[in-house]
Amino acid sequence: MTFDFTSCQFCDTHQSPDKLALIGSSGELSWGDLHNKTNQLVSAIQELKLPKGYPIFIYGHKEVEFPVAILACFITNHPFVPIDRLYPKERIAEIQSETNSSVFVDCSRNFQNSSATVLTFWDQEIVTQPGEITKSIVPVFEHNPLAYLLFTSGSTGKPKGVMIRKSSVLDLVNWIHSDAFGMNSQEVFVNQSPFSFDVSLFDTFSALSYGATMLMVSQDLAKDTELFKTQLVQYKASFWTSTPSFVYLYLREQWFQSGALPSLKTFLFAGEPLPVATCKSLYTQFEHSTVFNAYGPTEATVITTLLTVDKTSLDASSSLPIGRCKPHSEMITLAPGSKEHPQELVIVGENVAEGYLNRPEQTADRFFVHEGKKSYKTGDLGFVEEGMIYCQGRNDNQIKLNGYRIELDEINEKILSMEGINEARTIGLKRNDKVVRIVSLVQSGKVINVTELKEVLSQQLPHYMVPSDYVQVADFPKNPSGKIDRNGLQEFYLTQKKAQKK
């Protein structure tokens, strides 16, 4: 069996319905089980008689029910909004308020919201907790509906929703089914990124549309190295997708090599720059593998460019290009760019989002029409040379850490909302041009309690956005205009830490 994203229905193939489709923290599902469970959820959603295009939150982590809910939303034409159960309650409340929607599919069996309508998977049935159906403030697109809303870090202090239409997903699926990735129905995809991080959708759409198998890696499984190894071997994992930071955790393990994992043949990396050293290690430990470097912001439907890393040229490279653009899309610079004078990279094509939910000013700032096509200013600097695209970092106050895109101003807003805090600046500390952690510099008229500050932020922000260190300062370095010198903050932080140790 497979799932056809064009017709939004399951298709019978010569493959047995007993074939394994999903492995997750809540168990396993065969393709036959996936079909039945999806239809069951479709019926439960239809019984709610929701308005057309009403968004549905999917709450969970790496349960097998999560992809079931994604498929049910596709079939019923309701955009899904992934909510990781590791998010703090305040973050969930903020996302809910951005949509004013109140329907949840609970894959975890522990979601609590007494006023919402909640559909929960229990054994062989779906239990509905009736609640108020609030009036959504998400726009409805009649002929090309939204497929999903994914919330990213926002510079205003609140998360912003990226609106992706179904046509953009179909465009991605068509590319997945080209010869670019060398996939087939026998793949076992390693799905590690949380569903709230759109890289996870690459594995999901690939596995479901090919009729393949997907091994979902929960946070707990990733930490249990021996169990993770056992599952990679047991299920014959073949296609690994993650950030470079995640695979680095295992490159130091003796068992992470082709002798122990003979089925693992393909690695695809996205979400942050891929170091040359990581590629060299992979090709040493998995000699006959293929390594892909992919790039794509959430606003351009998962990934936009692809590079097959040539192992023979790694010694001559200090950094890797991000590859060539997918079909029906292009990446340009509005002014001529070069390595010495990079320009902002712009994505043009069907894969570009509809904009940010209810953020007209931010949408107008980033999205525009170029030669009759949707276009998005990425905020990344780079250049294009004979079709090959090179990315050289950010041009704003946004960073990537372990694959997560983080608006530093959102963290600053949370800190400044606390009593007694006069000024705050959060920075991404870099080592070898890569962000390794985030820290905050805080100005206050009283001595701040760092433990309390961190605890409050942990209740408001996802774990990956909580700074690892805080330094109280009397003042900030200024540039000639009298503004805080953002470029000098890292050196200022290191100087302050050194002074504290004396």
Side-chain angles (χ1 to χ4, degrees), residues 20-25 27-29 64 213-216 231 235:
L20 199 56
L22 302 170
I23 307 108
S25 59
E28 300 177 352
L29 281 186
V64 294
T213 302
M214 186 164 73
L215 169 62
M216 292 179 281
Q231 292 209 355
Y235 295 109

Side-chain angles (χ1 to χ4, degrees), residues 439-489:
V439 299
S440 291
L441 297 159
V442 181
Q443 191 180 58
S444 175
K446 61 179 183 179
V447 177
I448 62 169
N449 185 320
V450 170
T451 302
E452 182 180 324
L453 178 59
K454 192 168 187 177
E455 182 177 334
V456 172
L457 289 179
S458 297
Q459 295 171 0
Q460 298 178 336
L461 296 168
H463 65 93
Y464 57 84
M465 290 180 66
V466 178
S468 61
D469 191 25
Y470 306 81
V471 173
Q472 185 167 355
V473 298
D475 200 359
F476 290 87
K478 303 291 197 304
N479 62 22
S481 300
K483 298 179 180 179
I484 292 177
D485 180 12
R486 195 171 73 183
N487 294 328
L489 287 178

Side-chain angles (χ1 to χ4, degrees), residues 5-170:
F5 282 88
T6 302
S7 62
C8 290
Q9 62 184 12
F10 286 87
C11 300
D12 291 328
T13 64
H14 297 297
Q15 298 182 66
S16 167
D18 294 329
K19 179 183 178 181
L20 199 56
L22 302 170
I23 307 108
S25 59
S26 59
E28 300 177 352
L29 281 186
S30 69
W31 270 91
D33 293 334
L34 174 61
H35 185 194
N36 295 334
K37 217 172 185 72
T38 301
N39 286 342
Q40 190 179 18
L41 182 56
V42 166
S43 297
I45 291 173
Q46 290 173 337
E47 288 176 6
L48 295 177
K49 300 187 185 317
L50 299 174
K52 182 179 289 188
Y54 194 93
I56 295 177
F57 298 103
I58 306 177
Y59 178 86
H61 185 51
K62 286 296 178 183
E63 304 86 1
V64 294
E65 290 81 7
F66 212 115
V68 170
I70 289 175
L71 291 180
C73 287
F74 258 88
I75 293 170
T76 57
N77 269 331
H78 291 287
F80 67 89
V81 186
I83 302 287
D84 197 287
R85 65 172 172 77
L86 301 178
Y87 276 4
K89 290 182 179 179
E90 285 199 22
R91 181 77 169 185
I92 298 172
E94 285 178 338
I95 292 175
Q96 190 176 2
S97 69
E98 289 290 313
T99 66
N100 200 43
S101 303
S102 59
V103 175
F104 289 78
V105 174
D106 177 20
C107 305
S108 70
R109 299 186 181 183
N110 65 5
F111 178 71
Q112 296 179 350
N113 187 321
S114 58
S115 62
T117 298
V118 183
L119 305 175
T120 306
F121 290 93
W122 285 103
D123 298 325
Q124 301 303 312
E125 63 177 339
I126 295 172
V127 176
T128 301
Q129 171 194 293
E132 181 185 7
I133 307 290
T134 53
K135 186 175 181 180
S136 168
I137 53 176
V138 174
V140 176
F141 300 93
E142 291 287 341
H143 303 297
N144 183 12
L146 293 180
Y148 61 86
L149 273 163
L150 205 149
F151 281 83
T152 65
S153 179
S155 59
T156 62
K158 290 186 177 181
K160 59 178 185 276
V162 179
M163 300 184 289
I164 301 293
R165 290 204 193 192
K166 275 195 171 182
S167 61
S168 298
V169 172
L170 295 179

